[in-house]
Amino acid sequence: MTELELTDCDTQINQLKEKVHAFEALKRQLVLKLDFFNLLFETLASPVFIKDQNGVYTGCNKAFEALFGKKRDEIVGKTAHDLWPAHLADKYQEMDNTLFEQGGIQQYEDLVRDADGNERQVIFDKALYYNEDQCIGGLIGAVTDISYRTRAEAALKISQEKFKKISSMANDAIIQMNQDGRITFWNESAQKIFGYTWDEVEDKNLHSLLTPERYHLMFENGFERFKTSGGGQAIGKTLELTALKKDGTEFEIELSLSAYCEHGQWQSVGIVRDISERKKIEREKELLIKNLKTALDEIKTLKGIVPICSSCKKIRDDKGFWKHVETYIQEHSQAEFSHGICPDCSRKLYPDFHTDNEKQ
């Protein structure tokens, strides 16, 4: 072998060594990535499973084992019909077949039977994976337990139905307003009191629709605080205000206002009572009391024992002074005197006049 040929061999050997080193480095990187993905796969909180095109489980993570109470070797190599009740397995196979036919990503809600034998509402997210020859290798699926959410939604629905039932029976208007100032709830009593149907008020600005114009600026000034913190001068209080009916009539109301936060946005609920008739009666009562007081002030009466002199007929007042009967009565009543003379006194004072008259 010539020197040139030896040199070419050395070069080729060095190149092969470099390729081997590069391959080893790539292999180490792949092993590290594989270890990382295996670790990620195992530590995912969501149950994850892998199936081949025949519907046979080829892998799963620890969360999947925990959800169903089965070891991995009890799952791998089995089909859905080997592991789950027929009514569930039939649905799983049907959805898997659809995914294999249509490709892409699949998401749907269904039931699973957990380790305790309870059926839970879950969301399945599935996608196909492909081999190096771009042929379908199988599918990967993730399970999201929404049974708690479903129960919460059901409880919320029941609560909402109760609220609607109670509010429909209430005599007071119940009105809800969002942080944009628009009406989002309106019960039957609100329709009776204000004259608007739900269709007429839905998503309408509450203040411009139901409050007199003179109040608008005051509401606008306080509304910015409500939108940011749910606070305001009227929140948590009961106020007497004036409102507008559909026909433009102003009437007096009693408003109790509260606020709560829903999905990061402040909502307010107002309970409105029509107090126009009550206020009318109160004003009439106040006027009657005022008139009675005026009448009582104008009426003076004599009561009790009045100390009077048996000789001169003077009367002793509360301060111990003796006063003529005329003076005392005038001070203690509305009576006024006109003076004359009775026949007996006339005879006594003017005997001559009576003697002459009697002779005639």
Side-chain angles (χ1 to χ4, degrees):
M1 182 177 291
T2 64
E3 186 176 348
L4 180 60
E5 288 175 336
L6 289 172
T7 303
D8 289 340
C9 286
D10 291 339
T11 301
Q12 290 178 3
I13 291 171
N14 289 332
Q15 289 176 347
L16 286 172
K17 287 181 178 180
E18 290 177 358
K19 288 181 179 180
V20 169
H21 289 314
F23 176 78
E24 292 294 335
L26 180 61
K27 182 181 177 180
R28 287 194 296 272
Q29 291 179 1
L30 290 174
V31 170
L32 289 173
K33 286 185 178 181
L34 183 60
D35 290 342
F36 171 77
F37 283 117
N38 283 334
L39 178 63
L40 180 63
F41 182 73
E42 291 298 337
T43 55
L44 281 174
S46 297
V48 179
F49 60 92
I50 305 171
K51 290 181 180 180
D52 64 19
Q53 281 188 286
N54 297 317
V56 176
Y57 287 94
T58 59
C60 67
N61 66 352
K62 292 180 179 179
F64 193 84
E65 292 180 288
L67 175 61
F68 296 104
K70 296 180 183 296
K71 296 296 183 180
R72 197 162 310 187
D73 56 9
E74 297 178 280
I75 297 171
V76 174
K78 305 290 180 60
T79 67
H81 285 90
D82 297 325
L83 299 171
W84 324 123
H87 70 284
L88 296 177
D90 289 342
K91 181 63 178 295
Y92 301 159
Q93 183 175 338
E94 177 187 347
M95 297 305 295
D96 290 349
N97 292 339
T98 301
L99 179 61
F100 284 124
E101 291 173 5
Q102 298 179 354
I105 296 174
Q106 185 184 74
Q107 184 183 75
Y108 63 95
E109 289 188 20
D110 209 332
L111 296 172
V112 297
R113 174 115 8 126
D114 66 14
D116 297 323
N118 301 315
E119 289 192 347
R120 295 193 190 184
Q121 191 78 19
V122 300
I123 294 177
F124 282 106
D125 287 283
K126 299 178 182 178
L128 299 179
Y129 71 89
Y130 296 85
N131 295 324
E132 64 275 3
D133 57 1
Q134 297 303 307
C135 292
I136 296 175
L139 65 83
I140 299 176
V143 183
T144 304
D145 187 354
I146 61 168
S147 52
Y148 297 107
R149 189 190 77 184
T150 303
R151 287 195 290 269
E153 289 174 349
L156 177 61
K157 185 176 180 180
I158 292 172
S159 178
Q160 289 174 336
E161 290 299 324
K162 286 182 179 179
F163 174 73
K164 288 181 180 180
K165 187 68 175 178
I166 294 171
S167 65
S168 67
M169 299 170 63
N171 292 324
D172 296 334
I174 301 177
I175 305 170
Q176 181 172 316
M177 177 188 71
N178 63 19
Q179 70 173 20
D180 295 323
R182 299 191 175 277
I183 298 171
T184 56
F185 183 81
W186 184 264
N187 72 341
E188 293 178 10
S189 291
Q191 178 176 334
K192 294 176 183 177
I193 291 174
F194 289 93
Y196 291 102
T197 64
W198 166 243
D199 291 336
E200 291 175 312
V201 302
E202 183 180 9
D203 205 38
K204 296 292 191 307
N205 185 279
L206 183 143
H207 294 144
S208 61
L209 190 68
L210 304 180
T211 61
E213 188 174 353
R214 61 182 178 274
Y215 293 144
H216 289 182
L217 182 60
M218 179 181 68
F219 283 127
E220 289 174 5
N221 291 338
F223 199 60
E224 289 302 318
R225 179 184 171 191
F226 167 74
K227 289 197 294 185
T228 56
S229 65
Q233 293 182 347
I235 300 297
K237 298 178 181 178
T238 299
L239 306 174
E240 292 185 1
L241 301 169
T242 302
L244 284 177
K245 293 189 177 184
K246 182 179 178 180
D247 61 6
T249 303
E250 290 193 13
F251 68 110
E252 292 164 299
I253 64 168
E254 184 178 81
L255 171 65
S256 298
L257 202 60
S258 61
Y260 70 97
C261 191
E262 182 180 273
H263 304 305
Q265 295 189 341
W266 285 100
Q267 313 282 327
S268 70
V269 176
I271 298 177
V272 179
R273 177 172 296 176
D274 183 351
I275 60 170
S276 53
E277 187 63 27
R278 188 188 82 190
K279 299 299 287 186
K280 178 183 176 183
I281 293 173
E282 287 178 358
R283 285 191 291 270
E284 291 176 349
K285 181 180 177 181
E286 290 174 359
L287 180 61
L288 178 61
I289 292 173
K290 181 180 179 181
N291 291 338
L292 287 174
K293 286 182 177 179
T294 301
L296 288 172
D297 290 341
E298 293 176 352
I299 296 174
K300 294 181 180 179
T301 57
L302 294 175
K303 294 181 179 179
I305 298 174
V306 179
I308 186 169
C309 177
S310 58
S311 175
C312 68
K313 305 305 179 184
K314 287 183 180 180
I315 297 175
R316 188 181 67 212
D317 64 16
D318 297 336
K319 296 180 180 180
F321 295 104
W322 291 90
K323 295 183 178 180
H324 289 289
V325 172
E326 293 178 26
T327 303
Y328 187 87
I329 292 176
Q330 284 179 335
E331 289 177 352
H332 291 80
S333 73
Q334 298 296 319
E336 294 183 359
F337 289 91
S338 63
H339 293 85
I341 190 167
C342 69
D344 291 337
C345 290
S346 177
R347 291 188 189 95
K348 181 178 178 181
L349 295 172
Y350 307 105
D352 295 339
F353 176 77
H354 282 278
T355 302
D356 293 341
N357 286 340
E358 288 173 356
K359 289 179 180 180
Q360 291 176 358

